[in-house]
Amino acid sequence: MRIDLHCHTRYSGDSLTSFEGLLHWMDRRRLDRVAITDHDCLEGALEFYARAPDRIVVGEEVATAEGDLIGLFLEESIPPGLPAADTIALIHGQGGLAGASHPLDRLRREALGVEVLESLHQSLDFVEVFNARVTFPSDNRRARELAVRWGLPGSAGSDAHSPFEVGRAFVEMPGFEGRHDFLDCLARGHVGGRLSSPLVHLVSRYAKARNRLGVR
């Protein structure tokens, strides 16, 4: 199967992606599933999952005190602003899986960075080793090198904030049934895709301004 493990929807304040737009680009990019990982919000993921349970993994990108983490297979939203170690514990407490998103992106203040990643890696379940919104390819390569060193599965995601970004990065992996076999299948997967243009960040700024004004 082909899966994009990091996507945002209109429930993120800086995205405008609708359910229909998501499915359209999933089909165009031959994606079997996507993980919905809205910022500090589970509502969109739960709504999209209810509409297409065979194609959606419920997740959340959580802003911790040290940087962003992704929780997958969640049932309840994780509050932002907590220490990263506490956030991981809350994710695991509800049976979810915790991963580091764009951990070494030098242009994002939300990146965990090497020191924090080093301190957390024993409690992480996976590391995002290819994020399509990373500007410098070496930042993804360094994340992959650390994941390999620690024996952690590597994930990949478009980090899509607009429909046309969906599927720009993905993992081709054996089909999984749920959280219980996901990591084994991810470890056997292969990362693919390409980086998005840096101009996609302008889409996020536009979406943020539009959502702030309440425009639909």
Side-chain angles (χ1 to χ4, degrees), residues 74-117:
L74 299 180
E75 296 177 358
E76 298 179 4
S77 183
I78 305 294
L82 300 174
D86 293 349
T87 300
I88 294 171
L90 288 176
I91 292 170
H92 288 161
Q94 56 178 282
L97 302 175
S101 51
H102 47 71
L104 301 182
D105 186 346
R106 71 190 76 176
L107 296 184
R108 285 196 240 200
R109 63 180 181 274
E110 303 91 354
L112 290 170
V114 174
E115 291 185 8
V116 175
L117 201 58

Side-chain angles (χ1 to χ4, degrees), residues 17 21 25 29 160-168 196 200 203:
T17 302
W25 282 93
R29 296 255 161 85
H161 287 66
S162 58
F164 62 81
E165 294 176 70
V166 172
R168 291 298 294 262
S196 296
V200 297
V203 175

Side-chain angles (χ1 to χ4, degrees), residues 7-18 38-39 133 159-163 165 203-208 210-211 216:
C7 287
H8 296 270
T9 77
R10 59 187 177 85
Y11 285 87
S12 285
D14 54 357
S15 172
L16 296 174
T17 302
S18 66
D38 286 318
H39 298 296
R133 279 195 161 209
D159 201 356
H161 287 66
S162 58
E165 294 176 70
V203 175
S204 297
R205 294 182 185 178
Y206 168 76
K208 191 177 295 185
R210 186 181 173 96
N211 286 330
R216 293 292 181 182

